[in-house]
Amino acid sequence: MTLTYLGAVPDEQWRALLRDHLDRADSFRVHVPDGEGQLSHGRADFLALPGVEVRPWSGMRDAVEIAGPLTDAVREMFLRMEPSLESFDPERKLWDYELVRDGAVILSIGDYHDLQIASD
């Protein structure tokens, strides 16, 4: 599978894509600074989830990857946190994350709104 760049799509399309990929994914990876800061929205919420793993993330100095299973509660959390790619407050939006199925990334968001999805 390769990822195709879509960028910031209209919100109606975004919400449909997010729901579809959340339904297909079995795990997630969220990337945040290793501490509080501008890019840390959602950090405490994801760290509080049962069964998550926290490890250094090579994508940014002093950052971590929080990874875990995509339960129904986590799916609802993503839907609540990610309603828009068109307009948003960076202090209330996830900065960088991936939805994963069978070890392969099927949806990726970078820099708040750089959307990539898997294409066969």
Side-chain angles (χ1 to χ4, degrees), residues 24-81:
R24 296 182 336 174
D26 56 31
S27 60
F28 69 90
R29 301 175 190 147
V30 173
H31 306 113
V32 293
D34 190 15
E36 296 301 317
Q38 182 178 358
L39 307 175
S40 296
H41 177 72
R43 181 179 183 274
D45 298 301
F46 284 97
L47 287 173
L49 293 171
V52 296
E53 294 180 30
V54 180
R55 53 189 166 253
W57 181 51
S58 63
M60 184 175 87
R61 193 176 91 211
D62 298 326
V64 295
E65 176 176 86
I66 305 166
L70 199 55
T71 64
D72 288 341
V74 175
R75 284 180 176 90
E76 288 302 316
M77 194 163 75
F78 270 103
L79 289 171
R80 189 175 62 253
M81 290 179 157

Side-chain angles (χ1 to χ4, degrees), residues 7-27:
V9 297
D11 285 344
E12 187 174 310
Q13 181 183 359
W14 163 241
R15 287 187 285 272
L17 282 168
L18 180 60
R19 282 186 185 277
D20 177 57
H21 286 79
L22 283 168
D23 287 344
R24 296 182 336 174
D26 56 31
S27 60

